[in-house]
Amino acid sequence: MTTGEVLERAGGAGEDKDYVQSLVRGLEVIRAFSQYKPRMTLSEVAQHTGLTRAAARRFLLTLVREGYAETDGKLFALRPKVLELGFAYLSSLPMWEVAQPVMRDVVNTLQESCSLSVLDGDDIVYVARVPTARVMTIGLSIGSRLPAFCSSMGRVLLAGLPPAELAVVYDRVRIEKRTPRTVATMVALKEAVENARRQGWALVDQELELGLRSIAVPVRNRRGEVLAALNVSTHEGRSSIEAMRSQFLPVLLDAAQRISAALSQ
């Protein structure tokens, strides 16, 4: 998403005197870097963000001066200091510290990777992860984003939204078939989310990636509101759907309850 698209999504925020467009553009420059583009030229950053070369240069050089980026005179790259921005958020989440030991117990019991995520717009964002063997061809780590509509944690999080907020998500979500098994219609998505709400968990079978199965449960606060989603992922060759229901689900429900109870203290 370019800076122009960010401003458009903001709904005229550029006319708000309290809205700092330069900050938005600076954040967009930071987000331009990724595992696929860890080092970029000035022209590439400008093209990716929709900024002019002059504007991109000012933002990049400011980031360099503040220690968030570096350059060899031609290529720019982020520096480790940029992690402070993300870890400031994580350190403000009490469940992050509480969840880690519980998630390690889940991994030791099931021998599969365990993750915790929150909802951000139409995506889930990983805020904690205890991996085992890699089961996805895409790497996952803290800060990774995946579409909510076709992920088990996403459906649990969508199911926890108030009806009015969920309706807004449905209005804007774009259903994209990532595999032949991905839900293809809004009707099917709404049914899947309603099932997750009614049963209190969600199981997704190869909708995000062929071969990948995952099951997720909600983590709630003392008022019963969904704060996050906890899941376990596995390869379809290792665990059947029935095994995930009978073996994985009880462990996950117990873990979510432990995290919720600790947060309520």
Side-chain angles (χ1 to χ4, degrees):
M1 182 182 298
T2 66
T3 300
E5 291 171 327
V6 171
L7 295 176
E8 182 179 351
R9 175 173 286 191
E15 300 175 359
D16 187 341
K17 65 180 181 180
D18 295 323
Y19 187 80
V20 184
Q21 292 188 13
S22 60
L23 175 59
V24 175
R25 291 171 177 143
L27 293 173
E28 184 70 12
V29 169
I30 292 175
R31 288 196 295 265
F33 295 91
S34 68
Q35 68 179 94
Y36 306 107
K37 286 284 189 178
R39 300 174 67 83
M40 289 191 288
T41 65
L42 170 59
S43 296
E44 288 174 326
V45 173
Q47 182 178 17
H48 189 89
T49 59
L51 294 169
T52 64
R53 279 175 52 88
R57 180 177 180 276
R58 289 196 300 272
F59 286 115
L60 286 167
L61 292 181
T62 300
L63 290 171
V64 169
R65 181 171 179 177
E66 295 299 314
Y68 292 104
E70 62 185 7
T71 182
D72 60 7
K74 179 180 180 181
L75 294 172
F76 291 85
L78 297 180
R79 287 182 53 80
K81 187 178 179 181
V82 79
L83 293 173
E84 294 177 0
L85 302 176
F87 280 108
Y89 167 72
L90 290 176
S91 63
S92 71
L93 292 177
M95 67 179 165
W96 186 68
E97 186 172 337
V98 167
Q100 289 286 338
V102 177
M103 293 169 65
R104 284 195 290 270
D105 289 344
V106 172
V107 172
N108 290 335
T109 300
L110 300 177
Q111 295 300 303
E112 298 288 358
S113 299
C114 183
S115 303
L116 185 78
S117 74
V118 296
L119 190 65
D120 183 29
D122 302 335
D123 298 333
I124 61 170
V125 179
Y126 283 67
V127 295
R129 180 165 168 79
V130 179
T132 53
R134 186 175 174 182
V135 297
M136 299 181 70
T137 58
I138 55 174
L140 287 176
S141 59
I142 294 175
S144 293
R145 305 176 72 93
L146 291 175
F149 81 93
C150 61
S151 58
S152 61
M153 289 192 287
R155 289 184 183 166
V156 163
L157 292 167
L158 291 176
L161 290 177
E165 293 183 27
L166 182 57
V168 172
V169 174
Y170 284 151
D171 285 341
R172 71 181 181 223
V173 70
R174 296 179 181 178
I175 295 180
E176 175 186 356
K177 286 188 68 66
R178 296 176 65 108
T179 79
R181 293 175 177 262
T182 308
V183 291
T185 66
M186 184 58 66
V187 171
L189 173 59
K190 289 181 177 180
E191 182 178 353
V193 172
E194 174 58 23
N195 285 339
R197 186 199 63 77
R198 184 174 59 252
Q199 65 193 13
W201 53 274
L203 192 155
V204 169
D205 182 20
Q206 305 181 73
E207 293 191 43
L208 186 64
E209 179 180 301
L210 287 176
L212 179 73
R213 286 176 176 154
S214 66
I215 187 168
V217 299
V219 175
R220 302 178 184 272
N221 61 20
R222 66 177 63 190
R223 296 184 297 275
E225 299 164 335
V226 176
L227 296 176
L230 186 72
N231 95 331
V232 168
S233 299
T234 186
H235 192 274
E236 55 92 17
R238 288 201 299 271
S239 300
S240 66
I241 291 177
E242 179 53 39
M244 296 185 75
R245 291 195 186 104
S246 62
Q247 299 173 26
F248 289 22
L249 182 58
V251 174
L252 270 180
L253 289 171
D254 176 70
Q257 178 58 39
R258 289 168 59 191
I259 296 171
S260 296
L263 292 174
S264 299
Q265 293 178 356

